[in-house]
Amino acid sequence: MITKLEEILNQTLKQLNYNYNVKIVKSNIEGTDFQCDDCFKLAKEYHEAPLIIAEKIVNKLKENPNYQTYFKNITAAKPGFININVSDKLINISLKELMNKNKFGIKEKHNKIVLDYGGPNIAKPLHVGHLRTAIIGEAINNILKFQGNKTISDVHLGDIGAQMGQVIYGIINDFPNQNYEDITFDLNYLNVTYPKISALCKENEEVKQKCAQITKKLQEGDKNYRILWQKICKLSVNDIKKIYDYLDVHFDYWYGESDSYKYFDEMLKYLEDNHYVKIDDGAKVIDVKEEDDKIEIPPCIIQKSDGAYLYATSDLGTIWQRKKDFNPDEIIYVVDARQSMHFTQIFRAAKKTNIYNGKLSHYGYGTVNGKDNKPFKTRTGGALKLEDLIKETKEEFINLRKENQNMDNEDLDILVNSILKFADLQNDYTRNYIFDIKKFSEVNGKTGPYILYTYLRINKLLTNNKANLSDNIYNDIDRTLRLKLLEVTNILEEAAEERKPHIIANYLYELSVIDNNFYQNNHIAALDETIKNDYNIILTYNNFILKTLLNLLGIHIPKSM
Ligand code: ARG
């Protein structure tokens, strides 16, 4: 719709000898559909008063033989706006066009994009902090795929960090004099061992040193430690997969930080041969500060003086690997905003050293907070396990309304997903949010269940379409709904361009509010056949939009609720 209006307006501008393309936006003025605010810019360029220009455009438009077809009313308003009300006919023409378009007529992009999200650390259970990267990452992945891009998702396991040395230390102590091959343990054992040794390291410097030694040897490829390490990884990854499956989050690759280690020698040689590294206090570093930095950006350390590798080394090595394996146009990282310094450093290092010249994007999200507005903690002060959060959400939802108790388990899980995902995606991800299960589970309000309920309620009304959409619009709420449906193309394009799923979530909510209003004000069963048929077409399309967009956010439709 907006594209069409822009076309018409820009033709008129050409006729008036203005060499300029204006934009049309949705109007916030009650009773006005759209507006054009660009006469102010034109005024500067052509040295005329904005209002005069607006009036000229309006008058010229009125001479257009199609004026009546397209517009109900168009006026120049002080101090230089153009207010537009479109005709019902234009709304219906545009709707019919839209309904015939594949993917809502969005402009496709065909880039190859690697997405790095999830990033769980092996041997530690997933906690609430891992929820955001999974949900936001998967949504951005879906949206970019829908836009036509080829995406490659990689979970990028934290599989070779300090926690590994600690767990291995624990195992060696618990199973003395045993062949590493013969040692067996289960997930429960892992879940106790990591926190136990991690606590011990805090009070005992000697243990801490020993653990660090093990980690270093493991990183260097020590065969014996690798035997235990593989066992730990297998158990832990299985467990992690279960939760991702529950959340319907999937990865093309299950690579870990450790997979980048095989490229370190090659990469370090390249960096040294080309004089990109310098020695600073015995450590190998890449200088990444730039002249107009407002804050100090410390050098990127890639090897410590004792030879150990760091987080930055594995991220740089992973970029090396991804370039080699996929040669992507862009690599996207959906990682906690608190890591933004790290990403600034490695992005600069990768560019400066020509390791990778494509686009590197870090989408840093805010924290999930408790009612005290501090990062969410359990009553005992620990991080809330994701598994427990899911359980609690399910219980809360079941206890909320009588109807929920009768839902089958599959539907309940779909609802839990909708609660967690919609809560997470409804605001710009850069913002923190307070986790309030009760609020997010309500069937009324800006929640996943509200949108799903709207969908199901409408779905009950739908029948097979008989005739085509007529040229009529029947009342204001009907008109509002049709205009809202027409926004879908821009919403999807904007969400994909800006990589912001909340744009879709907001639209879904606004559309659902209109739907409920429409539903309450039109008693469809009692209407005459033509109206009924028109409404059936509109609402069928409405639900197609709801379902498609919900799916992009990772939310599915339950059978009933
Ligand atoms: N494992 C890391 C953490 O828990 C997140 C990994 C993010 N991805 C990356 N390429 N650095 O903090």
Side-chain angles (χ1 to χ4, degrees):
M1 177 67 120
I2 285 186
T3 323
K4 185 155 215 137
L5 290 171
E6 284 174 349
E7 245 166 53
I8 301 169
L9 231 71
N10 285 323
Q11 251 169 14
T12 312
L13 272 134
K14 227 185 235 148
Q15 290 168 354
L16 289 166
N17 291 321
Y18 293 118
N19 188 12
Y20 194 92
N21 279 335
V22 288
K23 291 237 165 304
I24 305 276
V25 292
K26 226 177 93 181
S27 177
N28 290 325
I29 308 168
E30 171 94 25
T32 303
D33 300 330
F34 300 98
Q35 63 189 62
C36 171
D37 308 339
D38 285 352
C39 293
F40 301 98
K41 290 188 195 145
L42 271 164
K44 279 211 186 96
E45 228 175 287
Y46 289 90
H47 309 288
E48 279 175 280
L51 188 61
I52 304 280
I53 298 177
E55 278 167 351
K56 274 200 207 166
I57 296 171
V58 169
N59 289 335
K60 193 80 194 165
L61 262 174
K62 289 190 172 159
E63 291 168 17
N64 187 321
N66 286 326
Y67 178 78
Q68 299 284 354
T69 321
Y70 293 147
F71 299 104
K72 193 182 254 170
N73 187 15
I74 166 161
T75 51
K78 274 182 204 164
F81 298 105
I82 300 176
N83 292 341
I84 302 168
N85 272 328
V86 292
S87 69
D88 290 356
K89 183 149 189 177
L90 181 64
I91 295 178
N92 283 333
I93 294 174
S94 308
L95 254 182
K96 279 187 219 170
E97 272 174 20
L98 178 63
M99 288 178 188
N100 279 322
K101 281 181 182 153
N102 186 25
K103 291 195 188 178
F104 311 103
I106 60 163
K107 277 191 227 69
E108 291 222 0
K109 287 270 169 84
H110 300 283
N111 290 318
K112 195 197 272 181
I113 304 172
V114 170
L115 289 110
D116 178 317
Y117 58 98
N121 296 324
I122 278 179
K124 301 186 194 176
L126 293 179
H127 59 79
V128 54
H130 290 107
L131 190 66
R132 301 214 75 184
T133 168
I135 292 177
I136 301 163
E138 186 81 1
I140 295 181
N141 188 4
N142 292 338
I143 294 166
L144 290 176
K145 259 193 259 184
F146 189 82
Q147 197 189 24
N149 300 291
K150 159 107 185 89
T151 69
I152 299 162
S153 58
D154 176 12
V155 67
H156 198 70
L157 302 164
D159 60 353
I160 197 149
Q163 85 276 19
M164 293 315 250
Q166 296 173 5
V167 176
I168 292 175
Y169 173 89
I171 297 174
I172 295 172
N173 272 292
D174 286 340
F175 301 89
N177 312 322
Q178 256 197 61
N179 234 333
Y180 286 179
E181 261 110 2
D182 302 334
I183 297 177
T184 55
F185 48 86
D186 62 8
L187 199 65
N188 286 332
Y189 173 81
L190 278 188
N191 289 343
V192 218
T193 306
Y194 168 68
K196 191 173 88 189
I197 308 297
S198 159
L200 191 60
C201 283
K202 286 197 184 99
E203 53 197 47
N204 188 328
E205 186 56 30
E206 204 191 317
V207 176
K208 194 175 151 191
Q209 290 301 330
K210 274 197 184 141
C211 292
Q213 263 305 313
I214 298 177
T215 305
K216 184 162 174 281
K217 282 214 171 128
L218 176 71
Q219 292 179 344
E220 286 161 5
D222 182 286
K223 283 217 174 57
N224 290 319
Y225 290 149
R226 289 261 167 169
I227 295 172
L228 294 177
W229 176 73
Q230 262 156 6
K231 292 184 192 206
I232 303 168
C233 289
K234 200 169 159 204
L235 273 177
S236 189
V237 169
N238 264 337
D239 187 46
I240 290 168
K241 272 192 178 151
K242 263 190 236 147
I243 299 211
Y244 283 144
D245 275 348
Y246 185 88
L247 292 172
D248 202 18
V249 167
H250 307 280
F251 298 95
D252 299 317
Y253 290 91
W254 282 79
Y255 286 144
E257 287 175 18
S258 69
D259 288 291
S260 66
Y261 276 63
K262 47 182 167 302
Y263 300 98
F264 285 2
D265 287 347
E266 194 181 323
M267 180 173 82
L268 279 161
K269 181 171 183 320
Y270 165 84
L271 291 173
E272 283 176 76
D273 287 354
N274 291 286
H275 311 289
Y276 288 126
V277 280
K278 64 171 200 191
I279 308 293
D280 185 352
D281 229 357
K284 288 183 188 150
V285 307
I286 303 173
D287 243 328
V288 290
K289 59 175 183 301
E290 285 169 10
E291 228 165 72
D292 37 357
D293 283 342
K294 302 257 178 318
I295 51 164
E296 200 199 321
I297 312 289
C300 185
I301 309 174
I302 51 171
Q303 193 169 20
K304 290 205 284 197
S305 53
D306 66 357
Y309 298 121
L310 298 96
Y311 190 36
T313 332
S314 85
D315 259 324
L316 214 51
T318 304
I319 295 178
W320 182 281
Q321 173 186 14
R322 286 171 180 163
K323 158 104 184 139
K324 206 172 167 123
D325 289 355
F326 310 119
N327 195 22
D329 300 298
E330 181 178 3
I331 308 176
I332 287 175
Y333 297 80
V334 182
V335 183
D336 195 316
R338 288 171 292 188
Q339 293 193 24
S340 66
M341 177 60 92
H342 166 74
F343 286 107
T344 303
Q345 289 175 305
I346 62 154
F347 289 0
R348 285 186 180 185
K351 286 227 156 82
K352 181 179 166 185
T353 60
N354 281 313
I355 284 183
Y356 179 67
N357 290 308
K359 196 170 164 199
L360 290 163
S361 320
H362 170 218
Y363 298 129
Y365 50 82
T367 51
V368 183
N369 291 351
K371 297 232 167 76
D372 57 356
N373 212 6
K374 299 215 176 79
F376 207 94
K377 290 264 175 332
T378 56
R379 265 178 229 108
T380 54
L384 180 63
K385 282 206 277 175
L386 199 45
E387 201 182 336
D388 295 335
L389 177 83
I390 289 170
K391 240 185 249 154
E392 276 177 39
T393 306
K394 196 162 170 173
E395 273 161 28
E396 187 84 33
F397 182 72
I398 292 173
N399 292 329
L400 205 63
R401 7 183 333 253
K402 210 169 62 264
E403 296 91 321
N404 297 354
Q405 279 145 31
N406 301 326
M407 282 174 75
D408 72 30
N409 200 40
E410 201 178 310
D411 276 356
L412 276 174
D413 287 335
I414 291 177
L415 261 302
V416 170
N417 263 281
S418 82
I419 291 167
L420 297 175
K421 290 174 179 172
F422 203 83
D424 205 281
L425 296 172
Q426 63 172 282
N427 291 315
D428 191 316
Y429 55 66
T430 54
R431 287 169 54 184
N432 304 340
Y433 73 95
I434 294 177
F435 195 82
D436 182 342
I437 302 185
K438 206 166 151 61
K439 187 173 120 201
F440 298 147
S441 309
E442 293 287 354
V443 182
N444 269 311
K446 199 172 175 185
T447 68
Y450 174 65
I451 319 263
L452 291 177
Y453 186 70
T454 306
Y455 176 94
L456 291 176
R457 203 169 156 184
I458 289 178
N459 218 38
K460 277 198 203 130
L461 299 174
L462 302 180
T463 56
N464 281 334
N465 292 323
K466 289 183 205 88
N468 289 326
L469 193 63
S470 81
D471 284 340
N472 304 319
I473 289 180
Y474 302 100
N475 49 53
D476 281 350
I477 181 77
D478 175 18
R479 190 169 186 280
T480 307
L481 172 59
R482 293 185 201 220
L483 277 169
K484 195 75 195 168
L485 298 178
L486 285 169
E487 282 175 29
V488 69
T489 317
N490 283 324
I491 291 292
L492 284 167
E493 279 176 355
E494 207 181 310
E497 281 308 300
E498 297 189 18
R499 283 76 190 273
K500 296 257 166 149
H502 79 276
I503 295 176
I504 292 178
N506 271 332
Y507 173 75
L508 281 169
Y509 174 64
E510 287 169 10
L511 179 56
S512 299
V513 171
I514 297 174
D515 282 342
N516 281 285
N517 218 334
F518 179 90
Y519 191 96
Q520 272 147 27
N521 288 292
N522 289 289
H523 295 283
I524 295 176
L527 297 170
D528 97 50
E529 276 312 307
T530 330
I531 309 183
K532 238 201 253 180
N533 185 66
D534 280 351
Y535 280 178
N536 191 39
I537 293 174
I538 299 290
L539 292 177
T540 303
Y541 195 63
N542 179 89
N543 267 14
F544 173 64
I545 292 181
L546 285 182
K547 187 174 181 169
T548 312
L549 273 55
L550 280 167
N551 275 328
L552 292 179
L553 302 187
I555 299 173
H556 300 300
I557 311 279
K559 294 183 286 301
S560 64
M561 62 184 279

